[in-house]
RNA sequence: GCCCCGGUGGUGUAGCGGUUAUCAUGUGGGCCUGUCGAGCCCACGACCCGAGUUCAAAUCUCGGCCGGGGCGCCA
């Protein structure tokens, strides 16, 4: 291997021994007779020290390298309390693995600002920065521990198609694609498939899902391609069973991230207090009452951005459910209960991060609801078929990964939470 | 779709009728043996495109292209 140690793997027992380190040259401080090279790897930074009179040619070679070039360096690991990690590598041999062109399209450690747009145009360089990398390490943890939690609860990981013949489950625009000459669509969510699976006997499924939405929205909290943790579970008594999973999953993941990603949270200057369980449940009717004290808001109105923010201001907690929405506000498959839907949103600091419901499992009721909403049942034959041969009561939710991270890390733009965001204007890189 | 705003060296900016187009960062070169936002010296490098107004346009007007912020839309 081109490295024997990552920057954080060197300890006292290595002092005085030869080691090999590798990474990107972040900075070269050439003082004339001595030079300090700051090398960065995945785990952090370390210092290489080169002394001119010990090896003039090697010295010249290393100080003339460009920033962000990739090298592997070999030498003695020398203890030095004055250096950042308590040690430095006294350079003996070096292999230049890749020279970086100059100038860089954006600086990694420059003391000037970089526009977010420039950062996204140069995302691979952007990701070399600690605070950017930290977001994705935390994202990694979040998905890992959410999965971990679900698996412990008996959920089976599944992968449903992202290309589908049926156009839409409603509510949003979808992307149309050419499927060997036939019209096909990118799915807006795994909703229909994960529900169908409830008739399979798997009972509990989850998916790290991709959502494709062709909405031309242009905001800091929407993406046209986003990811989610989608679950569906059968034999529930009510939507409350589903909400429990949503809040416990959130609680478990946050706890684990606090335990294991303190370095990353520091890099992002994020301090989190673990909200206590259970998260409050607020009915839509209560929301209406609260909002009516301040603004003109009628029962049945949608909760827009302003309404969500206003509500959040009135509440003392960061994570809470809104439940029992007007039936019209929720999709056709939500279980009706009078004029209400047995549906809920999980809100985090005034933004919806997850949305779920108990679903309709009765075939005729489902068809009735679709007819009421003017939907063509013939477009949903495969979906409906699953309801005709023994479909247990079930429910589930979709939980936006970027949405969660955005709120958890107090990020201003949801694009921060996905490597290569897709929005109305951005199709590259 | 609506309402604002903006495009100046590689990056981030100042200038808003006449400037040698500002500053920082960067890049290239030089000096320096303990730097850690290293320091010092020298150099390099830019007004989105087009039309118009004017003696004179980075600056004003119009059009285009590109982008940003907010809202709407949004399982």
């Amino acid at each position: 291997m081109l490295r024997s140690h990552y920057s954080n793997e060197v300890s006292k027992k290595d002092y005085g021994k030869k080691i090999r380190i590798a990474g990107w040259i972040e900075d070269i401080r050439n003082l004339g007779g001595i030079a300090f090279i700051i090398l960065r790897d995945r785990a952090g930074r370390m210092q290489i020290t080169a002394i001119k009179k010990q090896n003039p040619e090697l010295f010249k070679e290393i100080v003339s390298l460009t920033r962000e070039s990739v090298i592997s360096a070999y030498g003695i690991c020398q203890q030095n309390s004055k250096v950042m990690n308590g040690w430095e590598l006294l350079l003996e041999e070096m292999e230049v693995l890749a020279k970086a062109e100059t100038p860089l399209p954006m600086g990694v450690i420059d003391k000037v600002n970089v526009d977010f747009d420039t950062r996204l145009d140069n995302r691979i360089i952007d990701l070399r920065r600690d605070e950017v990398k930290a977001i994705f390490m935390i994202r990694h943890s979040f998905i890992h521990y959410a999965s971990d939690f679900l698996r412990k609860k008996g959920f089976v990981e599944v992968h449903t198609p992202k290309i589908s013949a049926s156009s839409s489950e409603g509510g949003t625009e979808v992307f149309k694609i050419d499927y060997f000459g036939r019209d096909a669509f990118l799915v807006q969510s795994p909703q229909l498939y994960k529900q169908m699976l409830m008739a399979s006997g798997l009972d509990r499924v989850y998916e790290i899902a991709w959502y494709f939405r062709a909405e031309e929205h242009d905001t800091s909290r929407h993406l046209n391609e986003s990811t989610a943790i989608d679950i569906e579970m059968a034999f529930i008594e009510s939507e409350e069973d589903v909400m429990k999973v949503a809040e416990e999953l959130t609680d478990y993941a946050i706890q684990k991230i606090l335990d294991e990603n303190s370095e990353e949270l520091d890099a992002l200057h994020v301090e989190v207090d673990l909200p206590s369980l259970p998260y409050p449940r607020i009915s839509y009717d209560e929301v209406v009452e609260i909002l009516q004290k301040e603004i003109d808001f009628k029962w049945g109105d949608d909760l827009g951005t302003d309404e969500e923010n206003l509500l959040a201001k009135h509440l003392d907690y960061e994570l809470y459910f809104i439940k029992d929405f007007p039936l019209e506000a929720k999709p056709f498959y939500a279980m009706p209960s009078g004029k209400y839907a047995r549906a809920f949103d999980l809100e985090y600091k005034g933004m919806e991060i997850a949305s779920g419901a108990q679903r309709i499992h009765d075939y005729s009721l489902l068809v009735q609801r679709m007819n009421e909403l003017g939907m063509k049942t013939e477009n949903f034959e495969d979906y409906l078929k699953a309801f005709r041969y023994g479909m247990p009561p079930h429910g589930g939710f979709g939980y936006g990964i970027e949405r969660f991270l955005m709120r958890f890390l107090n990020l201003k733009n949801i694009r921060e939470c996905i490597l290569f965001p897709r929005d109305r204007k951005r199709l590259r890189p």
Side-chain angles (χ1 to χ4, degrees):
Chain A
M1 285 293 289
L2 295 166
R3 70 155 64 83
S4 64
H5 296 73
Y6 274 107
S7 56
N8 65 343
E9 288 173 343
V10 174
S11 62
K12 284 196 177 99
K13 64 177 171 19
D14 301 303
Y15 295 163
K17 292 185 185 150
K18 304 263 173 112
I19 62 168
R20 185 180 295 279
I21 59 180
W24 287 260
I25 292 179
E26 190 164 274
D27 199 13
I28 299 167
R29 303 189 189 115
N30 181 3
L31 276 68
I34 189 168
F36 305 104
I37 292 88
I38 310 305
L39 198 70
R40 184 189 62 247
D41 65 16
R42 190 174 87 173
R45 267 155 272 274
M46 54 213 146
Q47 176 168 296
I48 296 168
T49 302
I51 294 167
K52 194 177 195 172
K53 67 180 181 192
Q54 282 184 358
N55 188 337
E57 280 190 15
L58 183 60
F59 183 89
K60 197 180 167 210
E61 194 188 355
I62 196 164
V63 298
S64 58
L65 282 170
T66 52
R67 279 185 175 190
E68 298 303 315
S69 291
V70 182
I71 65 166
S72 172
Y74 177 77
I76 287 191
C77 172
Q78 188 180 63
Q79 183 171 16
N80 187 339
S81 57
K82 283 186 287 187
V83 184
M84 48 172 83
N85 303 334
W87 61 273
E88 63 192 339
L89 184 93
L90 283 177
L91 187 67
E92 288 178 20
E93 286 171 29
M94 171 179 73
E95 194 177 340
V96 179
L97 303 170
K99 270 192 185 161
E101 285 180 27
T102 62
L104 295 165
M106 61 170 278
V108 177
I109 55 157
D110 287 7
K111 302 114 194 160
V112 290
N113 290 332
V114 191
D115 283 348
F116 189 37
D117 212 44
T118 306
R119 290 176 44 210
L120 290 177
D121 283 339
N122 302 284
R123 192 57 147 163
I124 41 129
I125 296 176
D126 186 42
L127 282 159
R128 296 178 186 177
R129 292 150 41 115
D130 286 339
E131 64 274 24
V132 179
K133 196 163 26 186
I135 295 169
F136 292 95
M137 294 311 288
I138 291 170
R139 181 185 165 112
H140 168 70
S141 289
F142 177 64
I143 294 171
H144 173 81
Y145 290 113
S147 301
D148 190 34
F149 173 84
L150 290 169
R151 283 167 181 246
K152 281 183 190 159
K153 293 281 178 183
F155 286 83
V156 176
E157 180 164 10
V158 297
H159 303 94
T160 60
K162 300 301 156 230
I163 302 172
S164 177
S166 58
S167 63
S168 175
E169 65 206 59
T172 190
E173 295 295 319
V174 293
F175 289 107
K176 190 172 158 184
I177 60 167
D178 174 25
Y179 193 77
F180 306 117
R182 279 190 288 167
D183 284 350
F185 304 89
L186 294 179
V187 297
Q188 67 191 76
S189 84
Q191 180 64 33
L192 305 184
Y193 286 104
K194 63 179 185 167
Q195 272 194 272
M196 287 160 73
L197 286 170
M198 292 302 95
S200 72
L202 285 175
D203 274 7
R204 293 179 165 213
V205 301
Y206 82 96
E207 175 168 359
I208 309 298
W210 289 94
Y211 291 10
F212 300 97
R213 309 267 164 107
E215 292 293 332
E216 295 200 1
H217 38 45
D218 211 353
T219 79
S220 56
R221 58 188 188 286
H222 287 95
L223 293 164
N224 292 295
E225 184 184 52
S226 68
T227 61
I229 297 164
D230 251 282
I231 77 144
E232 203 67 27
M233 54 199 285
F235 300 100
I236 59 168
E237 263 179 57
S238 75
E239 69 279 18
E240 184 59 33
D241 291 329
V242 183
M243 292 161 77
K244 275 210 180 70
V245 173
E247 64 185 352
E248 285 173 12
L249 177 151
T250 307
D251 185 68
Y252 181 78
I254 291 179
Q255 243 177 284
K256 287 291 189 181
I257 292 169
L258 292 179
D259 285 350
E260 301 198 3
N261 293 281
S262 55
E263 220 174 278
E264 286 84 4
L265 291 169
D266 285 348
L268 290 158
H269 310 293
V270 172
E271 282 179 42
V272 181
D273 292 322
L274 185 68
S276 55
L277 290 177
Y279 301 156
R281 276 94 166 129
I282 305 158
S283 69
Y284 176 85
D285 288 356
E286 289 172 277
V287 173
V288 172
E289 251 177 71
I290 293 168
L291 291 177
Q292 280 178 343
K293 285 181 193 152
E294 301 234 5
I295 54 167
D296 182 31
F297 189 87
K298 289 188 298 294
W299 194 95
D301 285 350
D302 269 344
L303 297 174
T305 314
D306 291 343
E307 287 79 17
E308 281 188 308
N309 287 144
L310 192 57
L311 176 65
K313 261 204 314 208
H314 279 266
L315 303 173
D316 292 329
Y317 15 87
E318 294 186 334
L319 275 156
Y320 47 92
F321 289 103
I322 302 175
K323 54 178 283 190
D324 302 330
F325 284 89
L327 189 56
E328 297 71 43
K330 289 293 169 184
F332 71 91
Y333 45 77
M335 179 73 92
S337 171
K339 61 176 182 175
Y340 299 99
R342 293 173 61 169
F344 62 88
D345 285 355
L346 178 56
E347 298 267 325
Y348 195 1
K349 300 175 192 170
M351 184 175 73
E352 176 190 336
I353 61 164
S355 174
Q358 168 154 196
R359 326 293 192 186
I360 297 171
H361 61 278
D362 180 77
Y363 175 77
S364 48
L365 178 57
L366 190 56
V367 170
Q368 183 197 317
R369 280 295 290 148
M370 291 174 85
N371 287 147
E372 279 170 16
L373 294 169
M375 297 171 68
K376 289 184 183 145
T377 49
E378 59 267 33
N379 290 345
F380 293 86
E381 270 176 28
D382 301 319
Y383 171 69
L384 287 169
K385 193 178 184 180
F387 290 77
R388 286 174 18 214
Y389 307 103
M391 175 64 90
H394 65 275
F397 59 75
Y399 193 123
I401 292 170
E402 292 84 19
R403 284 278 178 103
F404 168 80
L405 289 169
M406 181 182 175
R407 276 302 187 251
F408 181 63
L409 301 175
N410 297 130
L411 297 168
K412 289 198 181 72
N413 196 316
I414 197 164
R415 295 166 180 82
E416 294 275 9
C417 308
I418 191 158
L419 285 172
F420 299 103
R422 288 290 168 265
D423 60 40
R424 184 177 160 193
K425 287 173 182 160
R426 184 173 285 279
L427 191 52
R428 41 183 298 209

